[in-house]
Amino acid sequence: MDALEQNPPRRLVGEVVYVLLLSAPRVVAEGVRARLAARQIPVYLETPFLGLPEVYLGTYTGGVGLWVPEALYQEAVLIIERDS
């Protein structure tokens, strides 16, 4: 996955700084999210349609952003690189 950047975008989610790990079709992002969650890395999945039922039901399959806490970004990168 070539979406891993030197200076990824950052955003505040609650009181935690998250960084964009990758942008991908939802099917790919859900697979990555499952691998990271299995290793206790929290993930914030963002679709272009915040607040709509399709987002929560998982029926939207287009591009999404997968965000992880900045403090765990390097560990998430290592997991993805190892698994790919």
Side-chain angles (χ1 to χ4, degrees):
M1 295 192 171
D2 197 27
L4 309 174
E5 302 176 15
Q6 288 286 8
N7 295 311
R10 288 166 169 67
R11 88 162 23 145
L12 198 58
V13 177
E15 296 181 6
V16 177
V17 176
Y18 275 66
V19 294
L20 181 64
L21 182 64
L22 63 88
S23 294
R26 184 159 189 163
V27 175
V28 173
E30 290 287 359
V32 172
R33 175 164 69 169
R35 289 195 309 259
L36 295 176
R39 290 173 177 87
Q40 306 300 314
I41 296 179
V43 175
Y44 173 69
L45 189 70
E46 179 182 70
T47 69
F49 309 108
L50 296 175
L52 295 179
E54 292 83 5
V55 174
Y56 302 107
L57 296 174
T59 56
Y60 174 73
T61 59
V64 298
L66 194 141
W67 299 74
V68 297
E70 184 174 37
L72 299 172
Y73 178 77
Q74 291 301 323
E75 184 178 345
V77 169
L78 292 174
I79 290 168
I80 290 175
E81 286 177 346
R82 187 195 69 212
D83 290 352
S84 61

